[in-house]
């Protein structure tokens, strides 16, 4: 098949729906971090693990998927991944504790780890050489569509549901497309190359016919009977032999650079990054949507160029753009300053109380019990938990006193604007006025200054926890940074990644390994890719805190420079060449 028959394209699109689920599952967590933390009273390490546990499951899926796909077939494993996605989504939405949420997310991770490896293998094995890159990139396109869909879904669900249940819908809605994927997979044939590798020539001919070819295409699929026999004798040990050194080095390096440059950290913590650049919560969610759309548009550009310009030029241009973008982001954060103003202190006094109490302003309650019940309802509705809830209850007596009428015989409770203002003036932030007017060039020195002004050293543990929770919002308001430059740089990074390491890495991994080692080889590379991703995602919050965003993004940028240099020196062009031709060239005899 020199061209791509319609049935081949259709089968590729169906299989690539696994990429949609993969992308959705990966990005949806960016919108649930804060509500999940409040719902289960999580510490910072548990919040980090809520994001990274998916990757932990993906690592297991990476390790198992290749060998299982070699034994049971590509389609069979993809059907299992569809079930894993369905179970994970439904269970995540119904999770009753942190541990059950983690288990559900790990199950989803198993599906991610399998789908990200096996879907490109299947597509590469059914596609003609002339359109293989474009068809394999369908998988990457669906990944970015899934990522964009997750950002949109989070935004609208957050807007339409109560805060206490919105996160459950965010996680659970994925069960619908996951079950649809399960059904559709039964409409595609098994991989003809896999069938031939197991000696099932008759079934292979039927599969080729369903894909729009005929029996004469068997030679094109396998490159001869000799390779067919070798396919049954492959083993993982051969993957690490000296003759496979060039292929393995290429695969592991591409897998390393794809994740070490920070793509998943940016997707998972987009709201946190834009928050550090001064954006409000709703604005940060909207900027996440811009990231998703940028990723989608430039993945479409990559789909058009990958079989025209080739893999190597896209990697060179993309890695250069990534380096420029990441170093620009580092510069923007390095140039930022922090200054505490009287207005920031006044806003900090009022914002937290206003969020809870303003909805009750002007409503009259006949009894104290009814008024307190309304206060409790507001706390639950806003998702208040942990230390913040303790502080709210400590202030509740004062709130009731301020709201009570003076007519004791017919006492009523009405929360007026004057009462809210009086409460705000009583907030314990007055001591921060000693830090007003001083400009700091980094967040660390700013936090030290406000701690000193507030008497942090004399506080007990409970007061320190309350101060730590409130100081983050104060530091964000005190930040003076070129926010548009950060947004533009992040979008340039996403665009550059989307036309290079995003789709090209998976396309090349599905091309460079010989047939008899393809499943095991991509499993090893995918496992390594997931391990690097897990490390980056787990350490990213700590890196932002300890090193600062400027140093963190500078490190990412230097790794992007390394990706450019490696591509320049080591990466071959695979465009328009058969899998068997690449095998003969890349293996060291």
């Amino acid at each position: 098949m020199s061209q791509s028959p319609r049935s081949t394209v259709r089968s590729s699109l169906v299989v690539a729906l696994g990429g949609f689920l993969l992308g959705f599952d990966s990005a949806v967590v960016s919108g649930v971090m804060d509500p999940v933390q409040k719902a289960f009273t999580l510490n910072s390490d548990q919040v980090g693990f809520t994001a990274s546990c998916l990757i932990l499951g993906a690592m297991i899926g990476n390790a198992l998927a290749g060998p299982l796909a070699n034994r049971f077939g590509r389609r069979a494993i993809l059907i299992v991944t569809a079930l894993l996605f369905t179970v994970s989504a439904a269970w995540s939405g119904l999770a009753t504790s942190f541990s059950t949420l983690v288990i559900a997310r790990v199950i989803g991770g198993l599906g991610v780890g399998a789908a990200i490896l096996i879907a490109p293998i299947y597509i590469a094995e059914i596609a003609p050489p002339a359109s293989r890159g474009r068809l394999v990139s369908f998988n990457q396109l669906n990944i970015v569509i899934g990522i964009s869909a997750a950002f949109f879904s989070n935004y609208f669900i957050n807007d339409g549901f109560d805060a206490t249940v919105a996160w459950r819908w965010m996680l659970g809605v994925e069960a619908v497309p996951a079950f649809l994927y399960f059904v559709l997979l039964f409409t595609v044939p098994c991989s003809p190359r896999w069938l031939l590798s197991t000696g099932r020539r008759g079934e292979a001919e039927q599969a080729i016919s369903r894909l729009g070819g005929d029996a004469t295409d068997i030679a094109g699929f396998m490159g001869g009977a000799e390779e067919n026999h070798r396919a049954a004798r492959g083993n993982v040990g051969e993957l690490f032999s000296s003759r496979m050194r060039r292929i393995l080095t290429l695969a592991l390096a591409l897998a390393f650079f794809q994740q070490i440059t920070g793509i998943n950290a940016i997707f998972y913590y987009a709201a946190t990054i834009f928050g550090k650049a001064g954006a409000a919560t709703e604005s940060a969610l909207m900027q996440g949507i811009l990231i998703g759309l940028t990723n989608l548009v430039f993945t479409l550009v990559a789909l058009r160029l990958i079989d025209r310009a080739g893999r190597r030029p896209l990697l060179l241009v993309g890695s250069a753009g990534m380096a420029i973008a990441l170093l620009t982001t580092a510069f923007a954060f390095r140039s930022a300053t922090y200054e505490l103003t009287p207005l920031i202190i006044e806003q900090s006094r009022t914002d937290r109380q206003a969020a809870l109490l303003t909805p009750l302003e002007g409503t009259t309650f006949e009894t104290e019990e009814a008024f307190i019940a309304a206060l409790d309802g507001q706390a639950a509705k806003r998702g208040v938990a942990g230390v913040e809830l303790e502080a709210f209850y400590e202030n509740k007596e004062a709130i009731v006193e301020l709201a009570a009428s003076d007519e004791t015989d017919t006492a009523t409770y009405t929360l007026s604007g004057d009462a809210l203002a009086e409460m705000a003036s009583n907030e314990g932030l007055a001591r921060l006025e000693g830090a007003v007017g001083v400009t700091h060039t980094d967040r660390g020195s700013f936090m030290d200054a406000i701690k000193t002004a507030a008497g942090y050293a004399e506080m007990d543990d409970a007061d320190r926890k309350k101060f730590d929770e409130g100081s983050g919002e104060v530091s964000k308001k005190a930040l003076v940074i070129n926010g548009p430059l950060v947004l533009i740089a992040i979008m340039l990074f996403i665009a550059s990644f989307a036309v290079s390491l995003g789709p090209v890495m998976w396309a090349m991994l599905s091309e460079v390994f010989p047939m008899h080692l393809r499943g095991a080889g991509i499993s090893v590379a995918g496992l390594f890719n997931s391990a690097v991703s897990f490390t980056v995602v787990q350490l990213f919050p700590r890196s932002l805190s300890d090193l600062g965003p400027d140093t963190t993004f500078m490190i990412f940028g230097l790794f992007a420079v390394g990706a450019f240099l490696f591509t320049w020196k080591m990466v071959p062009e695979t465009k328009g060449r058969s899998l068997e031709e690449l095998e003969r060239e890349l293996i060291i005899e």
Side-chain angles (χ1 to χ4, degrees), residues 20-21 85-86 89-90 169 171-182:
F20 175 90
L21 299 174
F85 281 127
T86 305
W169 284 101
L171 294 173
V173 71
E174 184 193 352
V176 176
F179 184 74
L180 177 64
Y181 183 49
F182 171 77

Side-chain angles (χ1 to χ4, degrees), residues 6-123:
R6 183 174 300 177
S7 54
T8 299
V9 174
R10 180 192 172 280
S11 294
S12 298
L13 287 172
V14 168
V15 168
L17 285 176
F20 175 90
L21 299 174
L22 188 163
F24 193 99
D25 217 11
S26 298
V28 70
V29 73
S30 66
V32 305
M33 292 292 199
D34 289 344
V36 165
Q37 181 180 19
K38 292 176 182 178
F40 298 134
T41 318
L42 307 182
N43 59 40
S44 58
D45 289 335
Q46 289 173 318
V47 171
F49 195 64
T50 301
S52 61
C53 69
L54 181 84
I55 306 172
L56 186 64
M59 293 169 65
I60 301 172
N62 291 155
L64 297 177
L68 290 176
N70 280 344
R71 181 172 182 180
F72 298 106
R74 290 33 169 152
R75 191 185 72 158
I77 300 305
L78 289 172
I79 289 171
V80 172
T81 67
L83 289 175
L84 292 173
F85 281 127
T86 305
V87 171
S88 172
W91 197 357
S92 295
L94 298 172
T96 57
S97 65
F98 171 65
S99 59
T100 56
L101 177 61
V102 167
I103 292 171
R105 295 287 291 164
V106 169
I107 290 173
L110 293 173
V112 167
I116 203 168
L117 299 185
I118 305 307
I121 290 178
Y122 177 94
I123 297 170

Side-chain angles (χ1 to χ4, degrees), residues 40 64-65 104 111-112 128 156 164 178 246 256 281 373 399 461 480 510 542 574 589:
F40 298 134
L64 297 177
V112 167
F156 289 112
T164 57
R246 184 181 179 188
F256 174 78
T281 300
I399 299 171
D461 289 343
V480 181
S510 66
R542 186 174 295 276
T574 62
E589 297 295 348

Side-chain angles (χ1 to χ4, degrees), residues 12 61 65 92 117-118 141 168 185 215 219 308 352-353 376 395 474 477 518 526 558 568 574 576:
S12 298
S92 295
L117 299 185
I118 305 307
L141 174 62
R168 296 186 179 277
L185 282 171
R308 297 184 180 186
R352 301 300 288 171
Q353 294 291 355
D376 292 342
N395 289 329
V474 172
K477 291 178 179 177
R518 191 165 297 141
L558 293 177
W568 183 266
T574 62

Side-chain angles (χ1 to χ4, degrees), residues 475-492:
S475 68
K476 187 169 79 172
K477 291 178 179 177
L479 176 66
V480 181
I481 190 174
N482 190 339
L485 179 61
V486 173
L487 176 60
I488 291 170
I490 293 294
M491 290 176 67
L492 174 60

Side-chain angles (χ1 to χ4, degrees), residues 328-414:
T328 299
T329 306
F331 170 78
F333 278 109
R334 186 71 186 91
S335 303
T337 59
Y338 295 81
E339 183 175 349
L340 193 63
T341 66
L343 178 61
I344 291 172
I345 293 178
E346 185 61 27
Q347 288 176 339
S348 298
R349 283 171 173 160
T350 59
D351 284 353
R352 301 300 288 171
Q353 294 291 355
L356 282 171
L357 303 178
T358 298
L360 299 180
E361 184 178 353
T363 302
T364 299
F365 299 87
E366 298 298 328
T367 65
E368 179 176 340
E369 290 76 11
F371 180 59
I372 290 176
L375 293 177
D376 292 342
Q378 279 300 113
K381 184 176 181 180
R382 300 292 301 184
V384 176
V387 173
E388 185 181 0
L389 183 61
E390 293 173 9
F392 174 71
Y393 280 127
E394 287 175 4
N395 289 329
K396 192 161 67 173
E397 183 176 340
I399 299 171
V400 172
E401 183 178 345
L402 286 168
S405 70
D406 293 332
E407 302 175 10
T408 55
D409 290 341
T410 56
T412 60
Y413 296 82
T414 305

Side-chain angles (χ1 to χ4, degrees), residues 510-534:
S510 66
E511 293 173 327
V512 297
F513 287 105
M515 175 65 195
H516 64 298
L517 291 175
R518 191 165 297 141
I522 295 183
S523 281
V524 169
L527 177 62
F528 182 61
N529 180 266
S530 294
V532 176
S533 177
F534 177 83

